[in-house]
Amino acid sequence: MGDDQILCSLCRQPAVWRDRETGSHLCSLHLKESVENRVAEMICTAGPLPDRVGVAFSGGKDSTALLAAMTATQDHTGIRLIALTVDEGIGGYREETIRHAAQVCSILGVEHRIISFPDLFGYSLDEILQQQESRACTVCGILRRRALEILAEEEGIRLLATGHNQDDHAQTALMNAFSADLKKVCAGTGPSLRYARRIKPFARVSEREVTLYAILAGLFTRLPECPYAGGALRNEVRSLLNRFEQQFPGSMRNAAACEAEIRSRLREKSSGKGLVPCRICGWPGTGEICQVCTLLGAGWARSGGDRPRDR
Amino acid sequence: MRILFPDGHEEEIPARGRTIEAVLLGIGMNPAELLISRGETIIPEDTIGIDEDTIHLIRISHGG
């Protein structure tokens, strides 16, 4: 060991990363710097920045890396951060990841707020899924998104950063192509006074780099897998894209860029279409009845959806 | 070279002067889905494998 060591192309320190497209190598310091530069650039080009930005923080690897990178770039971006966590209520899984989330916030010195499905919707995800486990990711996605929006609104957050990385965007591009559902491409981009605007600072950072960043920041922990994550289409698409990336380096980046381009062009065309309040809960959406009310029925809104919580 | 897999099992695989990337491809693993550590240190996948080494494979995707 030692003679075979590959060195950083910039400083000749031991390399931890190979750029598969250029063949260059980076050490720990320069890899972190490269990720942080892209994060800061994405944040600073996102339009006017409020003083305080929310970070959607599950406590998993991606959002942990995001929180660490955004903390590291605070001198440059000048924003204060608050980590927003949704506890979906998944027994035997979420307890540990929520604990990890709290620890990470404590280490990074970031304010932390948690909202739970039972508090908001009256039921845990486990209870909601009793009759429809096969739709777990769809159901969870709809409810988690609403929970985050409500938590952001409660905290007065107008800009919310999420941990979606370049691979996520590439996967979404392919999944949208498979489903040929153009509405999905622009989902969540409509203007609303109630939504916090969303940014994705990792949009140009690969999942491998995100994982490596979390490891190098000393914040990577092997956490349990979500028990509902098993058979999602996304896993198949991820595997397919990774095979392409291995064989044709740059495929993932190109697919992600394609998704951004399509989204941008479609947004231009649909920019005149505003959101309308849901007839049941009043939350802005694209249809008469929002997805949450379609899923849970009218009861949740009357019993808790519009009830101020005492957190 | 001793390889510790993400699922916890271990295998001894001769490096035969190949890069770790080539070793992994040879056993049907996709290096684009993994990071590699030797001891506590992360190393690039184009590092030449050494039979006396133990490497740990870290899966980058996680169903979280």
Side-chain angles (χ1 to χ4, degrees), chain A residues 107-121:
Chain A
I107 291 167
L108 295 174
V110 174
E111 186 183 352
H112 190 202
R113 278 282 318 272
I114 302 174
I115 195 168
S116 78
F117 275 14
D119 274 357
L120 191 55
F121 303 119

Side-chain angles (χ1 to χ4, degrees), chain A residues 39-112:
Chain A
V39 165
E41 191 185 330
M42 286 299 284
I43 294 171
C44 291
T45 55
L49 294 176
D51 292 342
R52 196 157 163 261
V53 173
V55 180
F57 183 53
S58 69
K61 169 253 304 174
D62 292 342
S63 61
T64 295
L66 178 65
L67 196 62
M70 289 185 72
T71 304
T73 54
Q74 271 178 302
D75 285 348
H76 185 74
T77 57
I79 50 177
R80 283 188 300 131
L81 302 174
I82 176 169
L84 306 177
T85 299
V86 177
D87 179 355
E88 301 89 351
I90 305 174
Y93 161 69
R94 209 62 180 105
E95 300 87 345
E96 190 176 341
T97 50
I98 295 277
R99 219 170 18 248
H100 177 68
Q103 279 170 356
V104 169
C105 286
S106 166
I107 291 167
L108 295 174
V110 174
E111 186 183 352
H112 190 202

Side-chain angles (χ1 to χ4, degrees), chain A residues 207-266:
Chain A
E207 184 160 24
R208 277 187 98 217
E209 290 173 296
V210 168
T211 308
L212 181 51
Y213 187 91
I215 291 171
L216 298 175
L219 297 172
F220 181 80
T221 304
R222 284 182 182 79
L223 295 166
E225 294 214 350
C226 175
Y228 298 116
L233 169 67
R234 187 171 287 272
N235 289 342
E236 298 293 329
V237 170
R238 176 188 290 130
S239 176
L240 180 74
L241 279 166
N242 280 332
R243 285 203 300 275
F244 267 84
E245 178 61 25
Q246 174 60 29
Q247 205 170 348
F248 310 106
S251 299
M252 196 76 83
R253 179 175 52 76
N254 292 339
C258 177
E259 195 255 354
E261 180 68 23
I262 291 170
R263 190 184 279 263
S264 153
R265 291 191 185 196
L266 284 178

Side-chain angles (χ1 to χ4, degrees), chain A residues 173-214:
Chain A
L174 207 52
M175 289 167 73
N176 285 337
F178 287 158
S179 68
D181 186 349
L182 285 181
K183 274 193 293 185
K184 274 189 190 166
V185 179
C186 274
T189 60
S192 165
L193 290 175
R194 291 186 78 172
Y195 288 152
R197 189 160 53 94
R198 287 179 180 235
I199 53 168
K200 296 169 181 175
F202 275 159
R204 290 182 194 150
V205 182
S206 71
E207 184 160 24
R208 277 187 98 217
E209 290 173 296
V210 168
T211 308
L212 181 51
Y213 187 91

Side-chain angles (χ1 to χ4, degrees), chain B residues 8-23:
Chain B
H9 91 277
E10 300 179 20
E11 278 183 42
E12 193 76 38
I13 295 170
R16 296 198 190 99
R18 294 175 292 173
T19 63
I20 294 172
E21 180 176 32
V23 172

